[in-house]
Amino acid sequence: MTDILQRIVAGNRPLLEERKRALPIASLERMASAAPVRAPFVEAFPAGAAVPRVIAELKAASPSRGSIREPLEVAVLAKELEESGAAALSVLTEPLHFRGSLENLRLASGACALPLLRKDFIFDAYQLLEARAFGASAVLLIAAMLEPPAFRRLLEEAHALGLQVLGEAHSPEELEVAAQADLLGVNARDLRTFHTSLESSARLLRLAAERYPGKPLIAESAVVTRQDMEGLAAAGARGFLVGETLMRAPSPGRKLKELLQCC
């Protein structure tokens, strides 16, 4: 695990323990069981789709870029992005570095019918129950921060709850672990430095497409233009996770429509 990831996880461990004390697991399990089932996340990314499939990310801030969109009008943005053609939404729930919350996930769930990804640094099964209880249909598991047995255990526990998993890789070495998930995400951001490189992302996408034919591949981070999406699609991406580009736009919905004109 990189130093940045270690700091993020270390900072979130005491917060998770606070949530566990505030909401015992038995109560959270009842909430998760009662939560409506959303559309399967993977079905938003069919092979050969005529229109690019974008996961629009609701993100207030990031460690590398600071404030991005605050206040974050979650319900308004979720509905706007759904109406503008998003295939799914990603909702940041990490509070310390991204200023996210489970409440944002709940608000997005109530505002739209799209599949929802809980975007967080997940290392504990309790976080999976939270995702299910607050409206997610999928969660992110990051190969760089989880040992292979832990990744596999959380993947199985997510599936038992009816959640699908986007596995995230940042290097060729991480592909084998992340590819166990329902969808395979290739992140252009190096989590050691938080620098981004679309060239590196394209190379890893091509390798993933060769190793795991048929696996839905998602290009994450650094998508700014239609040309960026075209290049990543040519490398094998079936979907695109786009956050900052949308959140910094005066009209995220209009910006999404511009991106969807490509490919």
Side-chain angles (χ1 to χ4, degrees):
M1 194 187 307
T2 67
D3 289 344
I4 292 175
L5 280 174
Q6 287 175 337
R7 289 199 298 270
I8 292 174
V9 172
N12 275 275
R13 286 190 185 279
L15 297 182
L16 177 60
E17 294 307 312
E18 289 177 11
R19 298 202 301 274
K20 287 181 177 180
R21 288 191 292 271
L23 183 61
I25 192 167
S27 299
L28 185 59
E29 287 174 339
R30 287 193 292 272
M31 289 174 59
S33 297
V37 176
R38 300 186 76 83
F41 199 82
V42 73
E43 291 184 6
F45 306 95
V51 177
R53 311 299 285 172
V54 169
I55 306 169
E57 184 160 271
L58 302 181
K59 177 164 65 174
S62 79
S64 59
R65 306 292 285 179
S67 180
I68 294 171
R69 192 181 187 94
E70 296 182 282
L72 190 69
E73 316 94 328
V74 173
V76 172
L77 289 170
K79 190 64 177 174
E80 177 182 342
L81 291 164
E82 179 181 37
E83 292 174 348
S84 298
L89 295 184
S90 168
V91 183
L92 261 297
T93 60
E94 196 280 333
L96 296 177
H97 303 274
F98 293 87
R99 300 175 199 167
S101 69
L102 286 165
E103 175 63 9
N104 285 351
L105 182 59
R106 186 191 68 80
L107 288 170
S109 176
C112 73
L114 292 174
L116 297 182
L117 173 73
R118 181 187 183 182
K119 183 88 172 288
D120 210 321
F121 299 83
I122 291 178
F123 53 86
D124 189 291
Y126 188 91
Q127 295 167 291
L128 302 176
L129 279 167
E130 290 177 323
R132 180 74 180 86
F134 283 82
S137 46
V139 295
L140 179 76
L141 293 182
I142 302 172
M145 63 171 278
L146 296 167
E147 294 296 327
F151 188 101
R152 182 65 189 175
R153 174 178 55 81
L154 289 169
L155 174 66
E156 292 173 351
E157 290 173 340
H159 285 166
L161 291 170
L163 294 166
Q164 294 184 324
V165 173
L166 172 62
E168 181 174 289
H170 308 83
S171 70
E173 296 74 24
E174 294 169 9
L175 283 178
E176 184 176 357
V177 174
Q180 298 175 85
D182 304 286
L183 307 96
L184 175 53
V186 169
N187 200 335
R189 177 166 285 110
D190 185 334
L191 292 185
R192 295 169 300 178
T193 64
F194 267 65
H195 295 159
T196 57
S197 169
L198 286 180
E199 293 79 10
S200 297
S201 185
R203 285 195 297 271
L204 195 55
L205 281 165
R206 284 191 287 269
L207 180 59
E210 178 182 325
R211 287 186 182 178
Y212 311 105
K215 177 73 68 174
L217 303 181
I218 308 298
E220 303 177 48
S221 302
V223 172
V224 176
T225 68
R226 293 175 297 199
Q227 289 72 28
D228 292 340
M229 290 177 64
E230 289 167 354
L232 294 168
R238 192 183 295 183
F240 310 88
L241 192 151
V242 186
E244 185 175 346
T245 296
L246 298 176
M247 292 298 97
R248 288 198 185 277
S251 171
R254 187 176 302 118
K255 185 64 178 179
L256 176 58
K257 288 179 180 178
E258 291 176 10
L259 291 174
L260 292 178
Q261 294 172 6
C262 80
C263 309

